[in-house]
Amino acid sequence: MQLAIASDHAGYPLKAALVPWLEAEGHEVLDLGTDGTASVDYPDFGRALAEAVADGRAQRGIAICGTGIGISIAVNRHPALRCARVDEPVSAALARQHNDANAIALGARLIGEEMARACLTAFLSADFEGGRHQPRVDKLGARQEMPA
C-alpha cells in the first residue's frame, strides 16, 4: 500500500521508528517530514499529508504529533480526508470499518512504538464495511447547513 506519513517535532522520533517498519512490512512510504526535533508547526505537516492522500499520491495517511489532536484537526480541515485519532487497535480498525477513515493520527507522547504498530496494523488491514455506514460517511463530505 502507498502510505504518506508526516509529523511535527514531537512526533518525529515515533515517525522515524515507524517508517522502516512500514517499509519492511511491504508498504511504499512517502515521508513528508519533519526531519528532526526542531520546533515546527503541525498544521503545515497535516496539510501536506491531507494533500498527498487527496491527490492520490498515497492511499492512506499517518499523522503524528505529541498528542495526535492538533495534527488530526489539521488533516481533517481538508474535505476529502477522514482522519481518526486513536490510541489502541480496536478504534483504529473501527475507524476504517465504520467511518472509512483514510488517515490515522497518533499521539507520540501518549503511546509507545509497540502500540503505534498495533494501531497501524489494525488500521491498514481493515476494510470499510459500507452498508449502513455509507450514508453517514457520505454526509461527512457533503456541505451541511448548521441549524439556527
Side-chain angles (χ1 to χ4, degrees):
M1 187 178 301
Q2 294 173 319
L3 306 174
I5 191 167
S7 72
D8 70 355
H9 55 283
Y12 172 75
L14 181 58
K15 179 179 72 81
L18 292 174
V19 168
W21 173 75
L22 289 164
E23 291 172 338
E25 292 289 307
H27 301 289
E28 293 180 35
V29 181
L30 173 62
D31 187 342
L32 299 169
T34 192
D35 299 323
T37 57
S39 183
V40 296
D41 297 333
Y42 63 82
D44 299 332
F45 296 91
R47 182 181 317 106
L49 179 85
E51 290 172 356
V53 174
D55 70 20
R57 287 180 287 146
Q59 294 168 279
R60 300 218 187 121
I62 303 162
I64 308 169
C65 70
T67 63
I69 297 168
I71 202 162
S72 69
I73 293 169
V75 171
N76 280 320
R77 304 247 339 161
H78 195 293
L81 272 286
R82 293 171 305 281
C83 181
R85 185 204 161 276
V86 301
D87 292 322
E88 42 70 37
V90 174
S91 295
L94 289 171
R96 281 288 308 136
Q97 293 167 343
H98 292 189
N99 308 112
D100 198 19
N102 51 9
I104 189 172
L106 304 169
R109 293 178 176 150
L110 305 176
I111 63 172
E113 185 179 336
E114 184 177 329
M115 183 58 73
R117 287 180 184 182
C119 290
L120 289 170
T121 298
F123 177 71
L124 297 173
S125 63
D127 292 318
F128 179 51
E129 293 176 355
R132 72 181 201 273
H133 305 292
Q134 188 64 60
R136 298 167 187 151
V137 171
D138 291 343
K139 286 183 178 183
L140 293 173
R143 180 170 168 79
Q144 296 182 19
E145 296 298 321
M146 297 300 293

